[in-house]
Amino acid sequence: MKLSDIRDIGIVAHIDAGKTTVSERMIYYSGKTYKMGETHEGTAVMDWMKQEQERGITITSAATTCKWKNGIINIIDTPGHVDFTAEVERSLRVLDGCVVVFCGVGGVESQSETVWRQADRYSVPRITFINKLDRVGSDYMRVIDEIKERLKANPCPIQIPIGSEEMFEGVVDLVEMRARFYTDETGSKVETRSVPKEYLEEAVKMRGMMIEQLAEVDENIMEMYLEEEEITVDILKSAIRKATVRFDIVPVLCGAALKNKGVQLLLDAIVDYLPSPLEVPPVTGLDPDTGNEKKVNPDPDGPLAALVFKIMTDPYVGRLAFVRVYSGRLKKGEAVYNLNLGRRERISRILEMHANNRIDREVLGPGEIAALAGSRETSTGDSLCDEKDRVILEEIHFPEPVVSVAIEAANKAEEDKLSLSLEKLLSEDPSLNLKVDPESGQVIIMGMGELHLEVIATRLKEEFGVSCRVSEPVVTYKETITRAVSVEERYVKQTGGRGQFGHVVMNFEPMGLGEGTVFESRVREGRIPKEFIPAVEEGVREALTSGPMGGFEVTDIKAVLEDGSFHEVDSSKISFKIAAVRAVRKALGRGRPVFLEPIMKLEIMVPSEYLGEVLEDISSRRGTVKELVVRQDYHIVRAAAPLSQMFGYATSLRSLTQGRATYSMEPSHFERVPKQIAEKMLG
């Protein structure tokens, strides 16, 4: 297998844009499966979890490998629902390219923007596929305009549709200037013909625009264009590939995956335009000894460097660690060094995954993605490397949970089972958090939204067989202070032997919303020994996990250690930590603390006749409308509203619009809770 033939790609999109259907068609046409799975029938191969089949959505990213032409494509189908955005995050971290699917009717929707930003964060080159062009209201050129306006991208159409809505029957390939018609129900029979006369003028115009776009970013094309030389198909493909990998353009393709149109050309484009592991910049890690940056080149004979990006519990194989190899080779039966754990772990099996089916592998090389069995304590974000040539690969960023539920076992006998099952789910899902309420002893699990926690509760009952009770979802608030305070705290304890002494003088000041927590030491040398300062920071961060008003995490605060003193004999790390904890508690009480609440970004597609009722309802929920987009038969409302007011919104919207409106919602930021509502909360 040549490295240049490998494509590691993800399929990402807003919910219901048709990602999984696109993935299903790709594995069908590549010969990986012999029957098309359908999301709406619960038979999609990539949606293999029982929860996914019942709900008709993707919850967990599924991986598969297929062959197309000379390429080997590792595909990860990711969720579109915002509650499972962590799955997209960890997948994009290890991919070299992605296909962003847009609905031909819905266009660029809120979650489309989120996945686009995630792809930007990890510098992932992408191509786009405008899907569902057979649907009433679909508009290829409008979606391209939205990609330009809302995503600030440079979309470059390399295809145009033949026909529209129910008359959509094929695609004009602008690179080869040939028409592709799909003549049977499965889309397997593709007829290549000349461009129909009625589309020729538009195709020539669009091809000219495509070449002009390429000329702007490619000197060779510019030269040939100005000198009116013939630009061959191979030269065009090479230019599109280079421009895509450099982020100069985003190629735009089109089709209707459910009607089996356009997917083979998408597979061609993945092989032709998305990069191999050799064409993306070497992944950057850190040398754990020096803290310096370290480049990792995709060399099969180099030192091992691999990143664990997902943990999954398989009912037959047990705990699986999904891994992307960047350098070196992983071999079955060998022990690998886990840098995060600081020890070696033996790999009993290497499994090439096809959704929830698996093929045993002996060796894994650079650019390959597979699952490892046998690594019991490895977790998401861990770096596997050569013990003599160690490297920390970049950690994966996960959003903060905003909704929580209390969970308890139905009886004493189920408690251990619940504890073990939650442990497995927490290792699988880094966007799921757990804490124990210090006063009530209740176990609280925190997640990304109502659906996320609902799926977790259902999995506990059905998949793990745990009998448990779950409370109604509640909002995860935060707290902060609104004025700067200075405090001095001494912790002195004398016992028969050695005593305890810690003395700190600290300032605490509010920061801007969303800026998090900062600790800084300005202590003059000699006032507090250097080895005690990390203990002060540890005490500060520990104390900020529970605020004075409601026990919520305290954020957007700067803690500065200004001064203090120590005792030659009695001072210790623990005494300075306790002094810091007490200083924080004193400061929070004096700093005029306030509640912060999560604000959600809301996007609603509503038929024109129900717009008034929907806007009135948003206002009643303390929401504010940010933008109103007028379309032919419906409006798009973009708004922001407090999460506390949005529980059960799906049911409410359904009854307001007779089930004709759809919406999506994702966490946006935290804002201060209005005074009268904060008073009720303290009630």
Side-chain angles (χ1 to χ4, degrees):
M1 183 194 304
K2 288 194 297 187
L3 260 174
S4 57
D5 293 336
I6 293 175
R7 302 287 180 273
D8 291 325
I9 65 124
I11 313 289
V12 299
H14 182 91
I15 190 168
D16 207 29
K19 269 180 334 316
T20 300
T21 305
V22 170
S23 303
E24 291 294 325
R25 298 307 185 262
M26 285 165 69
I27 60 177
Y28 172 77
Y29 293 127
S30 66
K32 187 82 181 185
T33 54
Y34 300 99
K35 182 180 182 296
M36 287 186 193
E38 301 294 0
T39 310
H40 58 278
E41 292 174 5
T43 58
V45 176
M46 301 297 268
D47 282 351
W48 56 270
M49 279 175 68
K50 187 184 176 194
Q51 284 291 296
E52 294 175 314
Q53 291 166 354
E54 286 176 359
R55 296 172 190 270
I57 60 167
T58 303
I59 290 168
T60 180
S61 46
T64 191
T65 300
C66 66
K67 291 179 182 175
W68 185 255
K69 295 189 171 173
N70 298 323
I72 291 152
I73 307 173
N74 294 314
I75 302 169
I76 296 182
D77 174 33
T78 65
H81 196 287
V82 67
D83 282 17
F84 308 104
T85 191
E87 285 284 334
V88 185
E89 193 81 35
R90 53 183 166 184
S91 299
L92 284 172
R93 169 62 185 83
V94 297
L95 295 170
D96 298 330
C98 70
V99 177
V100 186
V101 181
F102 295 101
C103 171
V105 181
V108 176
E109 298 168 275
S110 60
Q111 187 65 2
S112 316
E113 291 187 62
T114 304
V115 297
W116 198 272
R117 285 197 307 272
Q118 289 171 317
D120 282 342
R121 183 184 299 133
Y122 294 112
S123 301
V124 181
R126 65 215 79 154
I127 59 179
T128 64
F129 182 74
I130 298 177
N131 191 27
K132 302 191 178 184
L133 289 181
D134 58 315
R135 294 267 296 273
V136 174
S138 61
D139 187 333
Y140 181 60
M141 294 312 295
R142 173 177 54 76
V143 180
I144 291 170
D145 288 340
E146 287 184 13
I147 293 170
K148 199 178 295 178
E149 289 161 21
R150 291 191 63 186
L151 304 177
K152 306 294 181 263
N154 185 17
C156 179
I158 60 171
Q159 296 176 354
I160 58 170
I162 298 172
S164 62
E165 299 183 344
E166 67 271 15
M167 302 304 289
F168 174 66
E169 53 180 336
V171 168
V172 174
D173 179 347
L174 299 175
V175 177
E176 297 187 4
M177 273 306 268
R178 304 288 286 166
R180 302 291 204 286
F181 289 89
Y182 298 85
T183 55
D184 69 332
E185 271 191 28
T186 66
S188 301
K189 290 180 183 172
V190 186
E191 279 187 18
T192 302
R193 304 181 205 158
S194 301
V195 178
K197 282 179 187 174
E198 62 270 34
Y199 288 94
L200 193 55
E201 190 182 331
E202 187 193 355
V204 168
K205 178 184 145 198
M206 292 294 288
R207 190 174 199 265
M209 287 167 67
M210 174 185 77
I211 291 170
E212 280 175 27
Q213 264 184 284
L214 288 168
E216 286 173 17
V217 296
D218 188 296
E219 282 183 19
N220 184 34
I221 297 288
M222 170 70 83
E223 217 171 279
M224 295 177 80
Y225 176 67
L226 292 174
E227 292 180 12
E228 297 184 357
E229 288 181 38
E230 189 196 340
I231 303 171
T232 64
V233 169
D234 287 345
I235 290 172
L236 263 181
K237 284 187 175 180
S238 173
I240 293 169
R241 183 185 189 83
K242 278 189 280 186
T244 304
V245 173
R246 287 196 310 255
F247 305 99
D248 291 332
I249 65 163
V250 180
V252 183
L253 296 89
C254 59
L258 190 63
K259 295 293 171 67
N260 312 314
K261 292 178 171 70
V263 178
Q264 293 95 326
L265 286 174
L266 176 60
L267 282 162
D268 287 345
I270 289 166
V271 174
D272 290 340
Y273 307 131
L274 287 178
S276 74
L278 293 169
E279 292 166 292
V280 291
V283 68
T284 303
L286 288 178
D287 185 317
D289 301 318
T290 64
N292 295 333
E293 279 196 356
K294 195 171 181 177
K295 300 285 184 195
V296 178
N297 292 300
D299 179 3
D301 299 315
L304 176 67
L307 181 71
V308 176
F309 67 94
K310 174 181 166 73
I311 299 293
M312 186 181 100
T313 305
D314 185 287
Y316 303 104
V317 185
R319 200 167 184 272
L320 291 174
F322 279 76
V323 67
R324 155 80 192 254
V325 179
Y326 288 98
S327 171
R329 288 187 175 95
L330 270 171
K331 294 178 184 173
K332 177 183 167 183
E334 286 189 355
V336 295
Y337 186 71
N338 184 319
L339 188 56
N340 300 64
L341 296 175
R343 63 167 182 270
R344 297 177 74 78
E345 284 207 313
R346 186 164 296 281
I347 298 163
S348 58
R349 289 175 76 184
I350 299 174
L351 301 163
E352 182 183 294
M353 301 299 286
H354 175 47
N356 66 332
N357 297 317
R358 53 205 81 72
I359 300 162
D360 276 283
R361 294 279 303 272
E362 294 297 316
V363 182
L364 216 55
E368 294 195 89
I369 292 171
L372 310 180
S375 48
R376 292 190 177 182
E377 292 182 48
T378 295
S379 55
T380 300
D382 282 4
S383 298
L384 307 180
C385 59
D386 189 311
E387 201 168 348
K388 292 173 186 168
D389 196 338
R390 301 181 304 159
V391 61
I392 301 167
L393 296 168
E394 181 189 4
E395 288 189 5
I396 304 167
H397 165 85
F398 294 110
E400 292 184 63
V402 291
V403 181
S404 60
V405 293
I407 190 163
E408 61 179 10
N411 52 57
K412 278 277 183 193
E414 294 286 303
E415 280 179 5
D416 286 348
K417 204 172 171 184
L418 175 63
S419 179
L420 284 169
S421 302
L422 283 172
E423 199 178 304
K424 284 179 182 174
L425 288 170
L426 285 163
S427 73
E428 277 185 31
D429 186 351
S431 65
L432 186 69
N433 285 1
L434 181 145
K435 72 172 185 180
V436 178
D437 187 300
E439 290 178 18
S440 65
Q442 270 188 317
V443 174
I444 311 289
I445 57 171
M446 295 167 282
M448 295 306 301
E450 282 182 275
L451 180 62
H452 185 198
L453 294 178
E454 193 185 311
V455 166
I456 292 294
T458 309
R459 285 187 69 192
L460 279 169
K461 290 168 186 172
E462 294 182 0
E463 202 175 305
F464 295 93
V466 178
S467 183
C468 58
R469 289 185 288 269
V470 181
S471 72
E472 287 297 309
V474 294
V475 176
T476 302
Y477 291 91
K478 290 190 178 185
E479 299 178 34
T480 192
I481 57 171
T482 54
R483 72 169 180 182
V485 285
S486 296
V487 294
E488 183 174 1
E489 188 63 47
R490 275 187 175 83
Y491 175 62
V492 183
K493 191 176 181 184
Q494 291 298 331
T495 53
R498 181 180 168 181
Q500 296 281 354
F501 182 88
H503 170 221
V504 294
V505 177
M506 300 190 74
N507 287 337
F508 295 86
E509 56 190 76
M511 292 174 68
L513 289 171
E515 290 187 15
T517 303
V518 174
F519 174 82
E520 190 183 312
S521 172
R522 295 179 189 159
V523 175
R524 292 200 316 275
E525 205 169 320
R527 298 291 292 166
I528 299 175
K530 280 182 182 175
E531 64 266 26
F532 295 147
I533 290 171
V536 175
E537 181 175 359
E538 193 182 324
V540 167
R541 293 194 182 276
E542 190 177 294
L544 291 176
T545 58
S546 180
M549 298 172 74
F552 299 109
E553 180 192 347
V554 180
T555 188
D556 302 334
I557 190 170
K558 185 175 185 177
V560 181
L561 177 60
E562 296 281 2
D563 198 7
S565 61
F566 73 104
H567 188 280
E568 290 282 358
V569 177
D570 291 351
S571 285
S572 64
K573 288 180 182 177
I574 192 69
S575 54
F576 272 95
K577 182 179 173 180
I578 292 169
V581 168
R582 291 182 172 184
V584 171
R585 287 180 183 154
K586 192 185 282 184
L588 292 178
R590 295 178 186 172
R592 290 188 191 145
V594 291
F595 287 119
L596 299 174
E597 63 180 342
I599 303 296
M600 307 303 283
K601 188 166 83 171
L602 193 61
E603 187 169 292
I604 309 156
M605 285 176 69
V606 55
S608 309
E609 60 264 39
Y610 299 108
L611 181 65
E613 292 94 322
V614 167
L615 293 178
E616 198 177 309
D617 183 60
I618 290 170
S619 178
S620 73
R621 295 171 185 269
R622 293 197 284 124
T624 51
V625 174
K626 304 288 185 185
E627 190 182 1
L628 196 58
V629 181
V630 180
R631 293 269 172 83
Q632 194 175 345
D633 301 317
Y634 61 94
H635 289 69
I636 295 174
V637 181
R638 296 190 180 114
L643 174 61
S644 59
Q645 303 299 307
M646 298 308 294
F647 290 124
Y649 186 64
T651 308
S652 173
L653 185 65
R654 206 175 294 130
S655 64
L656 278 175
T657 64
Q658 297 184 7
R660 290 177 60 200
T662 59
Y663 83 103
S664 65
M665 186 167 69
E666 63 176 294
S668 175
H669 61 282
F670 278 78
E671 272 182 18
R672 194 186 292 190
V673 173
K675 192 178 177 184
Q676 65 274 23
I677 291 167
E679 285 168 1
K680 280 184 193 170
M681 287 169 69
L682 292 167

